[in-house]
Amino acid sequence: MSDTNQRIENVEVSWQHLKKNMLSSFDDMQRLSSEIDEKLKVLSEQEERFNLSKQKILENIANAAEKIKLCVGGTMFMTTKTNLLKFEGSYFHALLGSGKWLPDVDGAYFIDLNPEHFGRILDYLRTNKLHVSDLDTYELERLYEIFDYLQFPYPEPRFAWKGTNLNENLTLSNGDKTVRQTKGINSGAGWTACILGERAINRYSVRIDSISGGFMMVGFVPASLRNYKATGANCTSCGWYLYLAKGVLYSQDGDNRRAYSTVQFEEGCTLSVIYSEAEGGSIRYEKDRMDLGIAFRNVGDLPLIPAVDFSCVGAQLTLV
């Protein structure tokens, strides 16, 4: 066979291979296109069902009477639909939107809750102000449990960070609700500052504005401030803390790097610290309202004051 014929045959073989691969690729593209079309069809159907469901919910809410009578654990309350629907995605949105929550023969909607603090919540819906100065720690915890049940956001805190005798490495802003480490160590190599809440309280939440490696201890100190140091490094001598960088616990009761949570704390997330007398004097943490579980039990030396130890320039928290 001449060289020319051999080259022609090689070209023909190559062309056949190329043609086969192209046809195979074309078949694959057709199958992929069909799969995409099918998935788009499913998504379109789901979107249509969602829109129909959303429209039905809005119709049910619109059809509900504006003036609503509630029977809360046997006690009657009167309010408006507008008040109950103040917060999107709440318990009342779900019930009124379902169209299945109907009043009893007396015209009242029944809610199986303790009525003791329900009036405070209705006043909060009306005025945006929550009055709790007359409540002790246990009663305040019960009030916030109702907030959780009704899926209402907690009110803006009526307390701030303590501005008096402020550590020189810290700066307050935003009405003393935001604290930032502006001086001192920049690598988490040592604890150089601590901030306290202005008064004792059984729960608080902070937004992490700047994480700076997570070199912060967030928790409570006893109001007695026994062994407390404004320069920081209180984690084993005064209080109960979660170390954000490692998810471990420290306390005056002997906890030292005790494992607690593997959750990552990133900028923008909200961390809540909660003392509960009802749970045997426990402290628990929540991240973005997700319960991380009980961290400390049988906490004594009450009452408790919010506290944060800092160890890195640029770290910043805001009370929310």
Side-chain angles (χ1 to χ4, degrees), residues 43-69:
L43 287 174
S44 178
E45 292 173 350
Q46 290 177 341
E47 183 180 15
E48 184 178 357
R49 288 195 296 270
F50 171 79
N51 289 333
L52 289 173
S53 177
K54 182 179 179 180
Q55 183 60 37
K56 185 62 177 177
I57 289 172
L58 293 175
E59 290 175 0
N60 290 335
I61 289 175
N63 291 333
E66 178 60 25
K67 188 166 71 172
I68 293 180
K69 182 193 295 185

Side-chain angles (χ1 to χ4, degrees), residues 78-116:
M78 293 292 297
T79 189
T80 64
K81 177 174 65 176
T82 301
N83 277 340
L84 295 181
L85 300 179
K86 184 169 185 175
F87 299 111
E88 189 71 31
S90 73
Y91 173 91
F92 292 109
H93 269 89
L95 290 184
L96 292 176
S98 70
K100 298 180 180 180
W101 192 42
L102 302 175
D104 291 334
V105 292
D106 60 357
Y109 293 89
F110 179 72
I111 303 177
D112 190 18
L113 285 176
N114 189 316
E116 183 178 1

Side-chain angles (χ1 to χ4, degrees), residues 42-313:
V42 171
L43 287 174
S44 178
E45 292 173 350
Q46 290 177 341
E47 183 180 15
E48 184 178 357
R49 288 195 296 270
F50 171 79
N51 289 333
L52 289 173
S53 177
K54 182 179 179 180
Q55 183 60 37
K56 185 62 177 177
I57 289 172
L58 293 175
E59 290 175 0
N60 290 335
I61 289 175
N63 291 333
E66 178 60 25
K67 188 166 71 172
I68 293 180
K69 182 193 295 185
L70 299 173
C71 177
V72 182
T75 301
M76 294 296 180
F77 295 89
M78 293 292 297
T79 189
T80 64
K81 177 174 65 176
T82 301
N83 277 340
L84 295 181
L85 300 179
K86 184 169 185 175
F87 299 111
E88 189 71 31
S90 73
Y91 173 91
F92 292 109
H93 269 89
L95 290 184
L96 292 176
S98 70
K100 298 180 180 180
W101 192 42
L102 302 175
D104 291 334
V105 292
D106 60 357
Y109 293 89
F110 179 72
I111 303 177
D112 190 18
L113 285 176
N114 189 316
E116 183 178 1
H117 300 304
F118 195 80
R120 294 177 190 266
I121 292 179
L122 291 183
D123 286 341
Y124 168 61
L125 295 178
R126 297 174 182 124
T127 66
N128 289 322
K129 296 179 180 179
L130 183 66
H131 300 285
V132 296
S133 58
D134 60 322
L135 298 182
D136 61 23
T137 299
Y138 175 68
E139 291 173 328
L140 192 60
E141 178 64 24
R142 293 176 67 191
L143 174 64
Y144 279 115
E145 286 173 357
I146 299 176
F147 270 87
D148 288 335
Y149 183 86
L150 298 178
Q151 295 178 291
F152 286 164
Y154 300 136
E156 281 293 311
R158 299 192 62 180
F159 70 100
W161 298 117
K162 186 177 180 181
T164 56
N165 300 319
L166 183 67
N167 184 287
E168 64 178 7
N169 293 323
L170 301 176
T171 300
L172 293 178
S173 60
N174 187 28
D176 290 348
K177 291 182 181 179
T178 297
V179 57
R180 183 179 184 86
Q181 183 174 349
T182 51
K183 295 188 295 182
I185 291 176
N186 196 33
S187 63
W191 302 96
T192 56
C194 186
I195 189 75
L196 298 178
E198 65 181 359
R199 62 181 172 85
I201 195 169
N202 74 328
R203 69 185 300 149
Y204 69 100
S205 298
V206 291
R207 182 183 65 245
I208 301 175
D209 300 320
S210 178
I211 191 73
S212 290
F215 300 116
M216 290 175 278
M217 297 269 192
V218 181
F220 284 112
V221 296
S224 65
L225 298 182
R226 187 177 69 254
N227 300 322
Y228 170 76
K229 299 181 289 293
T231 53
N234 293 292
C235 61
T236 58
S237 60
C238 182
W240 300 263
Y241 302 89
L242 169 62
Y243 182 25
L244 301 190
K246 302 293 185 181
V248 296
L249 302 172
Y250 291 82
S251 79
Q252 65 182 42
D253 298 326
D255 297 294
N256 192 327
R257 296 183 62 84
R258 176 163 61 86
Y260 175 59
S261 175
T262 59
V263 169
Q264 298 295 310
F265 300 95
E266 64 278 352
E267 292 181 359
C269 75
T270 298
L271 178 66
S272 300
V273 193
I274 305 160
Y275 169 77
S276 174
E277 186 175 326
E279 293 181 326
S282 69
I283 294 175
R284 66 169 62 243
Y285 291 85
E286 294 178 355
K287 180 200 172 186
D288 293 329
R289 299 181 71 87
M290 177 182 72
D291 185 15
L292 302 182
I294 292 177
F296 304 100
R297 299 180 184 274
N298 302 315
V299 173
D301 211 355
L302 304 177
L304 302 177
I305 295 175
V308 180
D309 263 14
F310 289 86
S311 180
C312 192
V313 170

